[in-house]
Amino acid sequence: MADAMKIRATAQGDSADIKVLMNHVMETGLRKDAKTGQLIPAHFIQNVSASVNGKEVLDAQWGGAISKNPYLGFKVKGAKAGDKVVVNWEDNKGEKNTVEATVS
C-alpha cells in the first residue's frame, strides 16, 4: 500500500489554491544499488489527476524525471469554500493513491 498523501486546499478570491505532497520513491530505473551493483527497477508515478466536485480539472502524465516525494501545486479558477477536491495518482507498477480535501 502506498504511503499517505497530504493535501491543502484554500479559497483565494475566485479560485482555490491546491497543494499536494505525494510520498513515492520515484526511481528512474537508471540508479544502481550501492551494495549489489544491480540496477534498481523503475518505479515512478505515471498519471496524476484531480477533480473538483467530480469535474476533472487536471490530468497529467509524469515520467521518471520527477523527484522523490513530489510536490504538486495548482490553482483552480471558479472553486470556492466547501468544494470537494480529489487528487489521484497511479504508478508504473499499478499502485494507486487518492487524497480528498474540502476547500476552506
Side-chain angles (χ1 to χ4, degrees), residues 9-18 52 74-83 85 103-104:
T10 54
Q12 294 184 345
D14 66 342
S15 64
D17 188 24
I18 301 168
V52 175
F74 59 99
K75 293 182 185 239
V76 178
K77 197 170 187 176
K80 58 190 178 303
D83 287 351
V85 179
V103 177
S104 58

Side-chain angles (χ1 to χ4, degrees), residues 3 9 12 22 28-29 35-38 40-41 44 49 58 62 69 72-74 79 82 89-90 92 98:
D3 292 334
Q12 294 184 345
M22 306 172 196
T28 63
K35 293 180 181 176
T36 66
Q38 298 292 315
I40 298 171
F44 54 87
S49 63
L58 178 125
W62 288 1
N69 298 329
L72 173 67
F74 59 99
W89 61 251
E90 182 174 354
N92 64 323
T98 300

Side-chain angles (χ1 to χ4, degrees), residues 4-26:
M5 295 193 295
K6 294 180 181 176
I7 185 169
R8 180 177 298 167
T10 54
Q12 294 184 345
D14 66 342
S15 64
D17 188 24
I18 301 168
K19 299 175 181 175
V20 183
L21 182 61
M22 306 172 196
N23 291 315
H24 197 279
V25 295
M26 299 300 285

